[in-house]
Amino acid sequence: MSCHVRHSPEMGAEDSINRPLVFAYYVTGHGFGHATRVVEVARHLILAGHDVHVVTGAPDYVFTTEIQSPRLFLRKVLLDCGAVQADALTVDRLASLERYSETAVVPRDTILATEIEWLKSINADLVVSDVVPVACRAAADAGIRSVCVTNFSWDFIYAEYVMAAGHHHRSIVWQVTAIAEDYSHCEFLIRLPGYCPMPAFRDAIDVPLVVRRLHKPREEVRRELGISEDVKIVILNFGGQVCGASESMDLPPNFVKLAKDTYTPDVIAASDCMLGKIGYGTVSEALAFRIPFVFVRRDYFNEEPFLRNMLEFYQAGVEMIRRDLLTGHWSPCLERAISLKPCYEGGINGGEVAARILQDTASGKNYTSDKLSGARRLRDAIVLGYQLQRVPGRDLSIPDWYANAENELGLRTGSPTAEINDNSFLVHSYPEDFEILHGDVLGLSDTVSFLKSLSELDVVPDSGKSTEKRQIRERKAAGRLFNWEEDIIVARAPGRLDVMGGIADYSGSLVLQMPTREACHVAVQKIHPTKQKLWKHAQARQNAKGQGPTPVLQIVSYGSELSNRGPTFDMDLSDFMDGEQPMSYEKARSYFAQDPSQRWAAYIAGTILVLMKELGIRFENSISMLVSSAVPEGKGVSSSASVEVATMSAIAAAHVGAPCGVMDQMTSACGEANKLLAMVCQPAEVLGLVDIPSYVRFWGIDSGIRHSVGGADYGSVRIGAFMGRKIIKSVASDLLSQSCANGVTSDDLEEDGIELLETEASLDYLCNLSPHR
């Protein structure tokens, strides 16, 4: 059931039914955000005269500071550990699964027996879970109804972790399956805003934001902090509690260390901006109190893209890349944030509404399924399926029923305005807003569309169109990339469909490869540093160095909502230098690995370092780049190769004078439409192009299995092939040595025996071994 519940009067004692009801409320151990929203729901249940038993691992004060009532009972038990974080901004996926196994799977039988007995002992009328899976199963076994209140479920969160764990942890797959089965025992889901797909639940009832109430007005809080109204306050909030400092640390004069028992919502509402990481509690309070939120992404925090989408939809979010957070380059993002006018006008009484629904359910009211329930669960299951297929570390695209289905289905290219028409891929019309000085679009509609999107970059996007809200930030960043008085180089490189033999390329095999229709476009502008339009934080970095304009690389990559990465990257080109020489490739890997959300830039910026090291090119000018790829990522069709080839072609054309490709990406560089590229991989000998008969069509069908040349299975097969070659060479060499030492002639061996051993002893590629051998 999907229905929106309107605001209702405060639920108080007069709303009590004939007898006090008993609620058993289970709380996940994943952060304080869950505990604080449970407090708000429980507070309203207690106001209505009911008993609430909270099963939690959170500290008592989280509940007792808000609820002073004998009807609140706290039972300290941790049944759900949540996600384990390697640091404040990174979830450790494997550790999360292992901790869950230790906490909830290994002792499962004991947990169930204990919880069933306890629920019966308190005569619980209803079990409420946020969002502990085993609580729903225990309730069912005890013959008690249950309801979940949440914006995500653990089967969704853990699903991608399981895929990343690989075959060594296959038993965990069944554990995640058991989570969904546990959830299926509950009556329905009370779904909070910013929700993830949750197909395990049969019915869903949407309620407003659950937000903690304020204790003090803004003026009183600022007065107590000794901060006047004309001073801007930024609150640092990185989970659970507002960030503080150790007792012995000396803070700068403009920093205030808050007491441990500070009531966070009051301080947030009294601030002008919040800086922290995204979680339900921080997002809901930022929206409710209309406080701009500067956020830093968390790796593998799968709940985040849905909350971020909601935050940005209401114009309350500004992303700060991790590098700027750690190096203290905060000013540009903070200045941008305080200029925002958050526009959330929805309800913030979700705790009250949820409590009323729980009371009705516990007193016998039925919330039955409607005809939309099946469609909703199928829709959620489809999105969960995409979650299982995505590249590790990528955020999930949120479709139109959550936000943008067409991108995830690959029906639209990565550029904001580009579309592919199946019936007329080749076109012969060109936009009139630009002049092609050299080259040709070759009648490719996606190239025409990309050029058209370039010509429209200086047009401010309409933020009122909900279908474009996800692209506004990228468009604004791209709009400041280029100087329209200077030339722009555009290159296109397609993806690659492996028709035959590609898995054995490292063994020297013959392969047949085909370029895909989907391609990557890269636009590059070489420009003097004094003419480059720098983004605010890049300008602030240059000003801080006090050296005047120096060459800077700025990149915008469309489609950041499809992956866990920032839409922009910038660096001083001097960072590529190690003294008088370009840095080593190893140092470059470490440089780009500092911030996972910026790691994607290595595929693009790395081509510059290659030209510096291999051709001795020095870049005296700044470089601005726009990347737009429609090649599906993680599907084995060389999305990274297309980016590399397009980038290298554009940069080489701009700086060397002619486009060029790289040998490892032969198909993307040399393939032609409607032809197969025949190549012998020893190491890369092109035999020629094979015409495809008109009656033959090739289709790449997504198997749902992620492809990664860095994956364990690929590596195992590759290592096995090289081990096999090593063994064959070694055996052949030993036999050859023994033959020579014993004076054996070719007459004593099988025909061509000596020559055969000599060939195998010097075997360069495994595929050169004769079939009978």
Side-chain angles (χ1 to χ4, degrees):
M1 178 183 300
S2 183
C3 62
H4 292 268
V5 184
R6 294 184 181 277
H7 175 81
S8 58
E10 179 93 6
M11 187 170 68
E14 68 276 11
D15 295 305
S16 302
I17 59 175
N18 294 331
R19 66 172 180 84
L21 298 168
V22 178
F23 293 88
Y25 212 137
Y26 288 81
V27 188
T28 180
H30 181 66
F32 283 178
H34 296 268
T36 55
R37 72 189 185 195
V38 166
V39 166
E40 191 62 18
V41 180
R43 185 174 69 84
H44 284 284
L45 288 172
I46 290 172
L47 277 175
H50 307 304
D51 292 345
V52 179
H53 294 255
V54 178
V55 183
T56 180
D60 289 358
Y61 72 83
V62 176
F63 301 91
T64 56
T65 54
E66 271 294 275
I67 305 174
Q68 296 86 36
S69 171
R71 292 194 177 279
L72 174 67
F73 303 88
L74 298 178
R75 176 168 168 250
K76 299 304 288 295
V77 180
L78 181 63
L79 300 177
D80 176 3
C81 59
V84 176
Q85 295 199 181
D87 56 48
L89 297 174
T90 306
V91 171
D92 188 327
R93 294 171 291 175
L94 186 54
S96 297
L97 294 175
E98 291 172 344
R99 180 76 61 81
Y100 177 76
S101 180
E102 296 168 2
T103 306
V105 178
V106 174
R108 178 178 173 84
D109 292 342
T110 302
I111 289 172
L112 277 172
T114 302
E115 296 311 304
I116 292 169
E117 182 181 353
W118 176 75
L119 288 171
K120 290 179 178 179
S121 71
I122 65 170
N123 295 315
D125 292 291
L126 185 70
V127 171
V128 189
S129 178
D130 184 356
V131 60
V132 182
V134 74
C136 303
R137 177 58 184 269
D141 289 352
I144 304 169
R145 302 170 76 186
S146 62
V147 174
C148 285
V149 183
T150 185
N151 64 304
F152 74 83
S153 57
W154 285 114
D155 54 333
F156 177 79
I157 300 297
Y158 286 151
E160 193 262 339
Y161 298 177
V162 170
M163 299 299 289
H167 69 278
H168 298 296
H169 301 84
R170 282 178 181 168
S171 63
I172 301 177
V173 173
W174 301 111
Q175 298 170 15
V176 174
T177 303
I179 292 175
E181 184 180 357
D182 283 348
Y183 287 143
S184 71
H185 288 286
C186 84
E187 294 275 321
F188 57 87
L189 164 69
I190 295 178
R191 190 167 59 179
L192 305 180
Y195 56 82
C196 303
M198 293 178 276
F201 298 101
R202 288 170 289 174
D203 300 298
I205 300 176
D206 292 301
V207 300
L209 286 173
V210 175
V211 183
R212 290 179 287 177
R213 59 177 178 166
L214 297 178
H215 290 174
K216 301 176 183 178
R218 169 187 172 96
E219 296 75 15
E220 182 179 345
V221 175
R222 294 179 73 102
R223 186 167 58 252
E224 290 177 354
L225 292 173
I227 300 175
S228 62
E229 280 294 333
D230 61 338
V231 175
K232 300 295 183 184
I233 298 179
V234 176
I235 181 170
L236 306 186
N237 197 341
F238 279 84
Q241 293 294 312
V242 178
C243 289
S246 64
E247 296 296 334
S248 59
M249 182 180 294
D250 293 328
L251 294 174
N254 59 332
F255 275 70
V256 176
K257 184 179 186 305
L258 300 174
K260 183 178 180 180
D261 60 352
T262 298
Y263 187 61
T264 308
D266 285 348
V267 183
I268 292 176
S271 301
D272 299 286
C273 180
M274 178 160 56
L275 169 58
K277 59 185 180 182
I278 287 180
Y280 179 85
T282 51
V283 169
S284 62
E285 287 167 359
L287 292 177
F289 308 140
R290 298 186 181 182
I291 302 299
F293 189 176
V294 177
F295 61 87
V296 184
R297 297 195 192 198
R298 277 191 271 185
D299 298 328
Y300 312 120
F301 186 61
N302 295 340
E303 174 191 5
E304 181 177 280
F306 300 89
L307 293 172
R308 188 179 71 238
N309 184 66
M310 181 171 65
L311 191 69
E312 294 179 341
F313 182 86
Y314 292 112
Q315 301 175 37
V318 173
E319 180 180 351
M320 176 185 287
I321 63 174
R322 189 178 305 189
R323 181 180 63 184
D324 286 348
L325 172 73
L326 299 178
T327 57
H329 292 291
W330 297 2
S331 294
C333 288
L334 295 179
E335 290 173 1
R336 165 68 181 142
I338 61 176
S339 70
L340 295 179
K341 298 189 185 314
C343 59
Y344 180 77
E345 296 180 352
I348 59 174
N349 63 330
E352 175 190 345
V353 174
R356 183 177 292 278
I357 295 171
L358 294 174
Q359 176 184 275
D360 290 345
T361 304
S363 60
K365 181 175 180 179
N366 287 316
Y367 287 86
T368 56
S369 301
D370 68 4
K371 62 182 181 180
L372 298 178
S373 178
R376 179 196 61 78
R377 296 182 75 191
L378 175 61
R379 183 182 67 189
D380 283 5
I382 292 171
V383 180
L384 181 59
Y386 287 133
Q387 170 86 346
L388 294 176
Q389 297 175 33
R390 68 184 190 166
V391 175
R394 281 181 50 197
D395 277 356
L396 180 66
S397 169
I398 308 171
D400 262 346
W401 358 287
Y402 289 102
N404 58 343
E406 287 183 328
N407 272 328
E408 191 63 41
L409 294 171
L411 301 179
R412 188 182 297 273
T413 69
S415 62
T417 59
E419 292 188 20
I420 294 175
N421 185 324
D422 283 331
N423 298 321
S424 58
F425 182 60
L426 297 176
V427 297
H428 300 283
S429 61
Y430 311 124
E432 300 175 354
D433 300 325
F434 56 85
E435 177 186 3
I436 298 178
L437 301 178
H438 302 285
D440 192 351
V441 298
L442 302 177
L444 294 168
S445 65
D446 61 338
T447 300
V448 173
S449 294
F450 178 73
L451 293 176
K452 186 174 187 296
S453 74
L454 284 181
S455 68
E456 295 174 346
L457 280 180
D458 56 347
V459 178
V460 179
D462 181 2
S463 60
K465 295 182 180 179
S466 60
T467 56
E468 292 189 357
K469 282 184 180 294
R470 64 187 182 274
Q471 301 164 347
I472 290 175
R473 186 172 48 163
E474 296 172 354
R475 285 285 304 276
K476 286 184 177 179
R480 289 189 54 81
L481 264 182
F482 301 118
N483 185 317
W484 302 111
E485 303 301 319
E486 306 286 338
D487 293 351
I488 298 175
I489 304 294
V490 174
R492 177 188 187 274
R496 182 250 340 144
L497 190 66
D498 177 23
V499 176
M500 188 188 80
I503 188 63
D505 54 353
Y506 48 78
S507 295
S509 64
L510 168 68
V511 299
L512 285 174
Q513 307 293 298
M514 180 180 178
T516 65
R517 181 186 65 180
E518 294 78 16
C520 173
H521 287 87
V522 173
V524 170
Q525 185 173 73
K526 177 177 69 173
I527 190 166
H528 193 274
T530 58
K531 296 182 179 180
Q532 187 181 30
K533 300 176 182 178
L534 289 178
W535 296 317
K536 289 183 178 179
H537 66 275
Q539 184 65 62
R541 186 174 67 240
Q542 287 227 342
N543 294 340
K545 291 183 178 180
Q547 300 174 344
T550 57
V552 173
L553 169 65
Q554 293 189 144
I555 307 172
V556 172
S557 176
Y558 283 148
S560 64
E561 289 305 312
L562 300 180
S563 56
N564 188 27
R565 56 180 170 84
T568 63
F569 173 84
D570 62 272
M571 64 178 289
D572 295 337
L573 287 174
S574 60
D575 289 348
F576 273 138
M577 300 300 293
D578 189 359
E580 297 297 320
Q581 297 298 322
M583 69 167 61
S584 66
Y585 291 134
E586 189 59 38
K587 286 187 177 180
R589 290 189 191 97
S590 299
Y591 178 89
F592 287 106
Q594 295 177 72
D595 185 349
S597 69
Q598 299 277 286
R599 195 176 295 157
W600 59 270
Y603 291 103
I604 302 163
T607 60
I608 295 174
L609 180 62
V610 170
L611 291 174
M612 294 172 70
K613 289 183 70 66
E614 308 303 330
L615 298 183
I617 296 175
R618 294 296 178 264
F619 293 86
E620 305 297 333
N621 289 305
S622 292
I623 302 174
S624 297
M625 302 179 65
L626 176 62
V627 181
S628 174
S629 180
V631 183
E633 296 182 31
K635 306 301 181 185
V637 290
S638 299
S639 58
S640 58
S642 65
V643 170
E644 292 164 346
V645 172
T647 300
M648 183 65 85
S649 298
I651 291 181
H655 293 84
V656 182
C660 69
V662 289
M663 292 298 291
D664 288 345
Q665 322 295 350
M666 293 294 292
T667 307
S668 185
C670 303
E672 293 184 13
N674 300 317
K675 294 181 181 180
L676 299 178
L677 180 70
M679 182 170 60
V680 174
C681 302
Q682 301 189 14
E685 177 187 353
V686 176
L687 299 184
L689 293 165
V690 180
D691 288 331
I692 299 174
S694 59
Y695 55 83
V696 175
R697 293 288 183 272
F698 288 91
W699 292 83
I701 300 177
D702 186 0
S703 67
I705 299 174
R706 286 191 314 227
H707 170 82
S708 171
V709 295
D713 292 338
Y714 186 95
S716 298
V717 174
R718 183 185 177 104
I719 290 170
F722 282 110
M723 288 174 65
R725 182 178 63 122
K726 181 71 172 179
I727 292 170
I728 291 169
K729 292 181 66 174
S730 178
V731 170
S733 296
D734 288 346
L735 291 175
L736 192 62
S737 298
Q738 293 172 16
S739 300
C740 294
N742 296 330
V744 177
T745 65
S746 58
D747 295 333
D748 299 315
L749 298 172
E750 61 180 276
E751 185 179 359
D752 299 326
I754 293 292
E755 293 179 4
L756 183 65
L757 290 177
E758 289 175 343
T759 299
E760 293 181 357
S762 59
L763 188 67
D764 290 329
Y765 295 94
L766 193 61
C767 75
N768 290 341
L769 194 67
S770 60
H772 82 278
R773 292 291 285 174

